[in-house]
Amino acid sequence: MCGIAGYFGNYDGDLRNNINVTIKKLQNRGPDSNGYFYKRYNEGEQLLLVHTRLKIIDLNERSDQPFVYKNLILNFNGEIYNYLELRKHLIIKGHNFISNSDTEVLIKYFHTYGYRGLDDFEGMFAFSIFDLENKTLTLARDRFGEKPLHYYEGKNFISFSSEINALEKISNVYFEINKSLVFNFLNRGYRVGYENSNINFFKKVKSIKPSYLYKYETVKDKKKIKYWSPDLNKSFESKKHIIERVRECLIKSVELRMRSDVPVAFFLSGGVDSNSMISIARNILDKEVTCFSLVAKDKSFEEIKTIRDQVKLQNLNHIELELEKNDFLDNMFELTNYYAAPISTISLYAIWKLYQEVSKKGFKVAISGHGGDEIFSGYYYHHLLYLRDLASQKNLYNLKKKEWAKYVLPYVNNPILRNLDLFLNSSKPPINYLFSNVDDVEDLFLQKKQSSYKEKHYHQDSLKNRMLNEVFHEIFPVVLSQEDLNAMYYSIENRSPFLDKNIFETALSIPTSEFISNGYNKSILRESMKGILPDDIRLNRSKIGLNFSLKEYFDLNNTKNKKFLLSDSPIFEYINKKNLEKLINEEKKFYNNSQLIFNLISSKVFMDIHS
């Protein structure tokens, strides 16, 4: 894992003056070494590539970057997990290697196959490749957008970087905040999909789209090439075959993501996803496992007993962290400034603190269960869409409805998600439930018009279409971006075994009717883990997940917190200050709308920083 930045085009002055300030902004992404490549062309153009390295594979300096091979120079952030297999293939083709790194494999594979070779990579990556002979720049990003790559197109130049703060430094340009997106975030939360729709919280700052390669023949001539498109209509052979295939793919994915020349840790919650990863590592791959868990003070969000039972049963090394609330606001300012965006959820804030604990214990790689909910169907509202899709099959629908009422409904607190009729009695599946507040707080906003939102159409089934929108537009683009920043803040590489091409494409072949069985969500995943994952986790119906109560961190009885909420701020261009004060005085209503209030706090911090 590393930090990258680059600039190509005309520049008034010497670009080398921007090297140190750019490295400083990327130092946390790569504290082990740094380097740069600079070239001035006769036409007045300049090229600068900056790299900071976090050493994970092949710790030798021979793998430092920027990495030159023939006429190509590579600036790479990420990991190609199957680099050993690709390396063997290249050796058969006649290539020799001077290192044991995935960096050298990437550049030689690209030199051999061009962009068509990217689909052979199993990994997470963002990279630039500059052709020194033809003066062409290529920027590319992994399938799911695990690694960020932001860019800015100036009048006569293109610049890019892993982080927006570093992009501003190498470009030597002041970025103006995107106020309309702040308003959308206040209203809609993180599901506005700003990352994947190529919009950021700063105007004119864009992001390379996941699974895309952008090639600049000149700074004004850009070609966008999509190197991977999943098959949305894969054939289904049999349930038994799918279960076996998912099991096989999960084991291989965990094995690949444990490749490292430094220690690897796991995140552990009480759910199926993280426990599946750990059980594979422990029971199939026979690895010693150290895992980290967050402990919630609010018992309604607590699952520590389940976690401790698994730790004892599987003989895991385990570290627990209970978060303190005293420094919440100070941390919000620190993290928001680093994100260059509002923090999307309180869970991401909490996970940031957990990475700090991982770093203290000396780990440089952490593995999590991100993606399991979106790929295998893990949310309560998924069950309602599942029933909607089965409504025309009367006998099957009646059976599944009874299972939902018996096994799922008792765990659901949200009144919207307890209302099955809302999902059945409409020509199209509803969407506003994703953004609704628990109580009516419309009078909080000065502007009544909210941003419109429409799902992109991928699949005729409501459930699959919803899941694909979460992967490509809503959840992955935002959460993966900020999860990367959380890890990189503490110089840790985060890895997610569920974000694997073979797992994802196998899951796409699952018929909607098989995603849920006997009231169990993630039915296929649970079945595939039989004999690997202990049954008290595998067959646990409750879903808590990494959720935390705002009340744990933001106490309304604290004078400092009240003062912050009502202090002068650009946020009051959108928020009615008097009505906010009124809401603060209604403590129950305030906390009933915790996600909205967190959005407000996060947006206010962001606006205050940049005002």
Side-chain angles (χ1 to χ4, degrees), residues 441-446 448 566 575-586:
V441 289
E442 282 297 308
D443 60 355
L444 198 59
F445 295 97
L446 291 172
K448 301 301 181 186
L566 297 172
I575 297 295
N576 186 310
K577 194 171 185 178
K578 287 184 179 179
N579 289 340
L580 174 59
E581 186 171 10
K582 191 173 163 186
L583 182 61
I584 290 170
N585 292 327
E586 298 180 62

Side-chain angles (χ1 to χ4, degrees), residues 445-507:
F445 295 97
L446 291 172
Q447 300 179 39
K448 301 301 181 186
K449 186 179 180 182
Q450 296 186 355
S451 59
S452 59
Y453 180 85
K454 291 183 179 179
E455 282 189 318
K456 186 170 180 179
H457 180 72
Y458 286 101
H459 201 278
Q460 63 183 5
D461 290 355
S462 301
L463 175 59
K464 278 196 173 183
N465 200 63
R466 173 97 297 273
M467 292 160 65
L468 288 164
N469 272 269
E470 288 164 355
V471 168
F472 294 118
H473 301 290
E474 293 175 13
I475 297 180
F476 277 19
V478 180
V479 172
L480 293 180
S481 174
Q482 297 198 345
E483 178 72 358
D484 168 85
L485 289 166
N486 278 345
M488 287 287 92
Y489 185 95
Y490 295 108
S491 305
I492 294 170
E493 177 172 296
N494 58 311
R495 298 179 175 181
S496 303
F498 281 113
L499 305 185
D500 178 278
K501 175 187 174 183
N502 292 321
I503 291 173
F504 183 72
E505 294 189 341
T506 300

Side-chain angles (χ1 to χ4, degrees), residues 385-393 460-464 512:
L385 293 168
Y386 165 79
L387 290 172
R388 175 188 171 89
D389 288 331
L390 298 184
S392 62
Q393 305 174 53
Q460 63 183 5
D461 290 355
S462 301
L463 175 59
K464 278 196 173 183
T512 295

Side-chain angles (χ1 to χ4, degrees), residues 205-327:
V205 175
K206 299 180 180 179
S207 301
I208 303 297
K209 291 184 178 182
S211 73
Y212 270 84
L213 174 146
Y214 293 9
K215 185 173 182 181
Y216 289 85
E217 298 287 353
T218 69
V219 295
K220 293 184 180 298
D221 182 11
K222 175 174 62 180
K223 294 180 181 177
K224 295 182 181 181
I225 301 169
K226 190 171 178 61
Y227 65 83
W228 174 71
S229 294
D231 182 356
L232 302 180
N233 298 294
K234 287 179 72 71
S235 60
F236 174 70
E237 297 183 32
S238 70
K239 184 174 182 178
K240 181 181 178 182
H241 172 80
I242 286 293
I243 290 169
E244 291 173 351
R245 176 66 176 155
V246 168
R247 181 187 180 102
E248 172 191 311
C249 290
L250 280 168
I251 292 170
K252 183 62 176 178
S253 181
V254 174
E255 183 179 26
L256 284 177
R257 282 155 182 80
M258 290 196 75
R259 284 179 173 172
S260 171
D261 293 333
V262 297
V264 177
F266 285 79
F267 286 160
L268 174 63
S269 70
V272 173
D273 300 338
S274 63
N275 276 282
S276 293
M277 305 298 99
I278 288 171
S279 294
I280 288 171
R282 191 80 184 94
N283 302 326
I284 301 297
L285 304 178
D286 196 26
K287 301 286 188 180
E288 289 291 324
V289 172
T290 298
C291 50
F292 292 77
S293 301
L294 284 167
V295 180
K297 293 179 182 179
D298 187 332
K299 297 307 174 186
S300 62
F301 292 98
E302 187 51 80
E303 49 188 3
I304 195 61
K305 184 184 182 302
T306 305
I307 291 171
R308 287 173 180 164
D309 288 345
Q310 292 311 304
V311 167
K312 184 177 180 180
L313 180 64
Q314 302 207 61
N315 193 26
L316 307 174
N317 302 315
H318 187 229
I319 294 96
E320 297 175 10
L321 177 66
E322 185 174 290
L323 298 185
E324 298 296 329
K325 64 182 180 182
N326 297 335
D327 53 359

